[in-house]
Amino acid sequence: MACRNQVKAELAISDIKRETGSTDVVYMQLDLGSLQAVRSFTETFLKTEARLDLLINNAGLVADGRTADGFGIEFGVNHLGHFLLTCLLLDRLKEGTGGRVVTLGSMAYRWGNIDFDALITNKHLGTGRYSWQFFHAYCNSKLCNVLFNHELAKRLKGTNVTCYSVHPGVVKTELSRNCSLWQRFLIEPIARLLFLDTESGAQTTLHCALQEGIEPLSGRYFFCCAPQDVVAKGKDDAVAKKLWEVSERLSGLF
């Protein structure tokens, strides 16, 4: 379990051990808001773990601010940290049989856009202290997730690794933990009434991680455990390729 918060990770590990009876559950510290932390994590993982079958890119936040590297926090955590993590682990995934990468997207990608000039100049895809500003930045980061999956599938053709992006539904999580008090006051009562619980929200992720026979659907976007068509911006080959190349430069891969 690659997690930023050790206390929460250890609580989850205790639950897993209790429910499964397995003691083979390991915590490793990972902060996707720091590219150096991502590199340190992957270096440790590759030294200590001989096998990788499944990578679930699950972290996400709605917030304003900057990462340790100066990127807008939503772009930096929701996309760029996952991008670097995946790229550094791809070779280990390819060494196995039938590896998978599952990236948590969102239907919010539909309202996103990517201004590459602003990204390269300002190192973010939107910022601001008002809720509509960082929600728009969140939508932009979710479009990055969907396009990353689209391009990754192309680059994995001919290998034994497949990839999928997922809209889990609107789930009661701590996604809004970095919002202001009054924003949480508005969001959380609605979440308690209308949003999915975490077990229900995990089902499409689990489907893409575990379901046999979906390999021909590599690169697709899933919702409610079924592939869904994406709007044109979510499968734009040229934009997906450019995002990959820009992400390589920004993350220091090239």
Side-chain angles (χ1 to χ4, degrees):
M1 292 182 64
C3 303
R4 180 180 56 85
N5 187 311
Q6 184 174 356
V7 173
K8 290 182 178 179
E10 289 175 347
L11 289 172
I13 287 171
S14 295
D15 288 344
I16 292 168
K17 288 180 176 179
R18 184 178 64 254
E19 292 185 20
T20 67
S22 172
T23 59
D24 192 17
V25 188
V26 177
Y27 160 76
M28 290 189 188
Q29 209 282 332
L30 172 62
D31 181 359
L32 289 163
S34 164
L35 297 178
Q36 181 54 49
V38 174
R39 291 181 181 278
S40 294
F41 166 82
T42 55
E43 182 179 349
T44 300
F45 179 88
L46 293 171
K47 285 179 179 177
T48 58
E49 300 292 335
R51 176 173 172 173
L52 177 61
D53 299 296
L54 172 66
L55 172 63
I56 300 177
N57 291 319
N58 186 68
L61 52 75
V62 177
D64 188 34
R66 297 277 179 165
T67 68
D69 306 284
F71 295 103
I73 197 165
E74 291 172 304
F75 171 77
V77 171
N78 297 356
H79 168 66
L80 196 62
H82 286 130
F83 173 85
L84 179 61
L85 177 69
T86 304
C87 289
L88 293 176
L89 294 176
L90 274 181
D91 285 344
R92 183 59 48 88
L93 276 164
K94 291 174 183 176
E95 291 172 4
T97 57
R100 294 184 183 184
V101 179
V102 181
T103 300
L104 270 286
S106 167
M107 66 180 295
Y109 86 89
R110 292 169 174 263
W111 304 297
N113 60 74
I114 300 174
D115 183 337
F116 286 106
D117 291 335
L119 175 58
I120 293 167
T121 301
N122 302 319
K123 301 178 74 172
H124 66 70
L125 286 174
T127 187
R129 64 187 181 91
Y130 296 108
S131 55
W132 65 268
Q133 291 174 313
F134 52 75
F135 177 71
H136 187 239
Y138 175 77
C139 296
N140 297 341
S141 73
K142 293 292 105 179
L143 177 58
C144 289
N145 292 151
V146 173
L147 289 170
F148 163 62
N149 181 68
H150 181 77
E151 178 66 16
L152 179 60
K154 291 179 178 295
R155 293 171 182 256
L156 289 174
K157 281 185 178 178
T159 75
N160 57 357
V161 180
T162 55
C163 61
Y164 314 89
S165 64
V166 169
H167 172 50
V170 185
V171 186
K172 286 181 286 189
T173 67
E174 294 183 350
L175 185 69
S176 62
R177 64 187 178 275
N178 296 298
C179 295
S180 67
L181 181 63
W182 72 266
Q183 288 162 341
R184 296 200 305 274
F185 180 78
L186 291 174
I187 293 169
E188 289 174 4
I190 298 172
R192 286 194 293 270
L193 287 172
L194 301 177
F195 292 6
L196 297 173
D197 60 43
T198 50
E199 184 174 349
S200 299
Q203 294 310 303
T204 303
T205 300
L206 292 171
H207 176 84
C208 289
L210 303 171
Q211 181 63 40
E212 296 180 2
I214 65 169
E215 290 81 5
L217 300 174
S218 182
R220 296 290 300 275
Y221 169 87
F222 280 72
F223 175 50
C224 289
C225 299
Q228 305 286 323
D229 291 332
V230 297
V231 300
K233 68 172 66 177
K235 53 185 177 184
D236 187 310
D237 290 338
V239 176
K241 183 174 184 291
K242 184 170 183 179
L243 175 64
W244 186 284
E245 292 168 350
V246 169
S247 299
E248 284 180 325
R249 294 200 299 274
L250 294 178
S251 65
L253 280 174
F254 292 105

